[in-house]
Amino acid sequence: MQQVKYILAAAMCAACVAGKAQIKSAALPQPYTDSAFAVAVSNGTRTTIGVPGKNYKTNFAHYNINADFRTSEGHLYGEETVTYDYNCGQGALNSIVINLYRNIYKDGVRKNRYVDRRDIGDGVIIEKIQLVKNGKYTDLNITEFATQIEASLPEPLHQGESITLFIKWNNKIAANSHIRGGKYNNDTWFVPYFYPQIAVYDDIYGWDRIQHSANEEFYFENANYDVNLTTDHYTAVWATGVLQNPEKVYSPEVLKKYRTALSSNKLTDIISKEDITKHTVKKEQNVWHFCADSVSDFVFGCSATSKWTAKTFDLDGKHVTAAAVYRSEKFRDNVDLTESTINYLSHKRPAVTYPYPWMTMFEGSGGMEFPMMVNEDLDKLWDDMIFTTSHEITHTYFPFLTGINQNSYGFIDEGLTMYVPQFFQDSICSMPTGVKRSARYVSNHLEEDNAKPVFTKSYSMGSSWAFTMASYYTPQVGYSILEGIVGSDVMEKALQQFTTAWSRKHAHPYDFFYMLENVSGKDLKFFYNNWFAKTGNTDLGIKDVYREDSTNYIVIENYGEKYLPAMLKFTYKGGGSEKFYQSAEMWRDGNRTCTIALPGPEIQEVQLDTERIPDSNSNNNYFFIKDNTK
Ligand SMILES: [Zn+2]
């Protein structure tokens, strides 16, 4: 925020005096106070300063997956041995909850997003689920819900113990719906959520039993993955993690270029246009071995006709490989964009080193984040590519690294993913992206009938527009207004501390809210309640401007319900103009009017600049002073 240096302003409401006291109150956004969080605080797993409590623990899983994906029939046959470490919990577990996210394609399962009827079928077929103990395999009884199963254990699992399950399944992979994945030409597929995945059991809610419905997103446990994927028809495979056996799968020419890309910071076309006219892999059918440590999910894409370009750059003492797998030539530019995004995220906001060794941008559909991979369309406009690429890579931190529950709190991961890279986007985009575009959307939305408070659980939003506004645009603007209240340095410090403190854990929205209060030393609940827990109209206006004793007084009226900052643009009577930013702190006491005192030359006209600030009514944003005496 730019502030004019020599204008000394004092807003005349008491609200503008910033409190520096340590925040002790545990009151949370109203009326969405979450008693389960308060219980977690009393149990010592959470705190009211934004860091994990001394008793905080998370569970963890180790997946060994063997999957065979037959690309021509689009069918996947898999088996996995998963060991689950039960660290975080209250009492013994009598059952294990497992997500089958692909059951949104099952006939009869509720979906809140368009699914092509050709993709609707039997869902995930569980052929076998067994407990593995001392070399013995025991069949487990399961109860199936919409997109989850619950497996009963023959004996309780106590805290501190581990359990191993063997699961065999198969699933026809949806080709046509293109919800975060699908089939893109005869041999190009992107296959997310393809394996039975143990649900999150966290310290606040226990098992996550929210059934997936397609529109809202996911909640993942941290895990290690050791995956062997077999594909046919000479397809190459890209996946989360690091390929363990490149020499066994790639042709000698491709292998040589692959090794160059891993050691060069120049773009290397590992699979070029010429390469795809012949086979780039060794055999018709290959086994691709990938490993990934401490990530929250595993995904893969495959193709026999995509090009592949990569480069490897130094990042804080380690190497990161940025790659693009693509059919459209322009998509190749995504490699450099990926590198600059990762540098921004690692060093500016949230200023935490990118945690993985790879990031592969896969040209498929839409824009969807996965650990170490993004599935993305080639947008017509490069500005849109900048937006999508930087947005999706930011998801590395929110939700993946900080373990956010997206199906309940989309506004934390999507809101931060809109907000955090907005300056990066604005610095290289030619059109308004970032907060300018969001401010325009938010201006009128918050008083619409279907608007929902940001804090509404994502899975209960009802309309997809309400979900989008509450998860993306409204929180992005909210975080920008908060930055105006606490200052950019404080916001950056809070983002960095939050990301670090919750790395490979499960952050709740209150953890971020408390962290920001703690780092800023300000009680921010007045704003949290106003912006995140309520809807309402956005409308500031200039009610009056007058001059007394060589001081200009600007009276700002809040005609709406939302607490907004004011960016004032003055023109002086003697010529020249200036801007002045007054943060939303002016509404802290719930007053409707705030008078800003500005000593200095006589002002002729004042305008509210609403380029980055929502305002549903522009008729009261301009004031011309006819008579300066009062
Ligand atoms: Zn997103």
Side-chain angles (χ1 to χ4, degrees), residues 399-578:
F400 298 137
L401 195 60
T402 47
I404 290 164
N405 181 343
Q406 300 167 279
N407 65 29
S408 294
Y409 308 114
F411 78 95
I412 286 289
D413 79 284
E414 294 299 352
L416 286 176
T417 305
M418 294 293 286
Y419 165 72
V420 164
Q422 71 190 20
F423 300 104
F424 172 75
Q425 293 158 358
D426 282 347
S427 71
I428 53 173
C429 285
S430 49
M431 291 190 322
T433 56
V435 75
K436 294 180 196 167
R437 184 165 61 185
S438 300
R440 287 206 303 269
Y441 288 153
V442 172
S443 289
N444 293 307
H445 170 74
L446 288 170
E447 55 178 339
E448 285 170 7
D449 285 348
N450 71 353
K452 289 273 172 67
V454 168
F455 230 100
T456 310
K457 294 271 169 62
S458 304
Y459 57 80
S460 65
M461 282 290 176
S463 97
S464 70
W465 183 238
F467 168 77
T468 301
M469 288 305 300
S471 305
Y472 293 75
Y473 302 114
T474 311
Q476 178 190 12
V477 172
Y479 300 136
S480 305
I481 299 174
L482 276 167
E483 181 178 339
I485 295 173
V486 300
S488 297
D489 291 351
V490 166
M491 182 54 114
E492 287 178 0
K493 201 172 156 193
L495 278 170
Q496 188 185 42
Q497 290 189 13
F498 171 74
T499 308
T500 307
W502 289 97
S503 174
R504 296 185 167 93
K505 300 183 176 72
H506 294 292
H508 182 279
Y510 294 159
D511 296 314
F512 180 68
F513 286 167
Y514 282 134
M515 176 65 81
L516 191 56
E517 287 193 323
N518 191 41
V519 174
S520 66
K522 283 175 185 260
D523 187 336
L524 299 168
K525 291 174 195 71
F526 80 102
F527 185 77
Y528 296 157
N529 285 327
N530 180 267
W531 196 265
F532 295 95
K534 292 172 187 166
T535 58
N537 190 12
T538 59
D539 183 17
L540 294 191
I542 303 167
K543 197 177 184 187
D544 196 11
V545 180
Y546 59 93
R547 188 170 168 85
E548 268 175 19
D549 303 328
S550 308
T551 298
N552 305 294
Y553 293 92
I554 296 140
V555 183
I556 301 170
E557 180 79 10
N558 191 349
Y559 296 99
E561 289 84 37
K562 305 305 279 184
Y563 295 161
L564 299 161
M567 178 65 92
L568 297 167
K569 196 174 160 190
F570 321 112
T571 305
Y572 294 109
K573 211 168 186 183
S577 63
E578 299 282 4

Side-chain angles (χ1 to χ4, degrees), residues 151-225:
S152 303
L153 300 176
E155 50 194 63
L157 177 67
H158 298 99
Q159 218 174 322
E161 293 177 345
S162 296
I163 197 170
T164 300
L165 305 179
F166 174 77
I167 308 171
K168 191 170 182 213
W169 80 96
N170 76 80
N171 180 216
K172 185 156 175 62
I173 302 298
N176 309 291
S177 301
H178 292 178
I179 301 174
R180 305 181 177 100
K183 186 181 183 183
Y184 300 113
N185 67 14
N186 275 343
D187 55 72
T188 304
W189 288 80
F190 195 83
V191 187
Y193 324 113
F194 66 93
Y195 59 98
Q197 189 184 31
I198 297 183
V200 175
Y201 187 106
D202 71 22
D203 61 307
I204 302 179
Y205 304 112
W207 283 120
D208 171 39
R209 293 177 185 273
I210 308 298
Q211 304 300 304
H212 183 57
S213 308
N215 205 29
E216 58 283 347
E217 299 188 313
F218 310 91
Y219 192 21
F220 300 122
E221 193 56 271
N222 283 302
N224 291 341
Y225 291 85

Side-chain angles (χ1 to χ4, degrees), residues 379 381-388 428-433:
D379 285 304
L381 299 173
W382 188 244
D383 274 1
D384 291 335
M385 285 302 286
I386 294 169
F387 172 79
T388 308
I428 53 173
C429 285
S430 49
M431 291 190 322
T433 56

Side-chain angles (χ1 to χ4, degrees), residues 54 59 150 223 239 263 303 327 409 438 521 623:
K54 62 182 188 319
N59 298 326
E150 185 161 1
S263 58
S303 177
R327 288 162 285 132
Y409 308 114
S438 300
F623 201 98

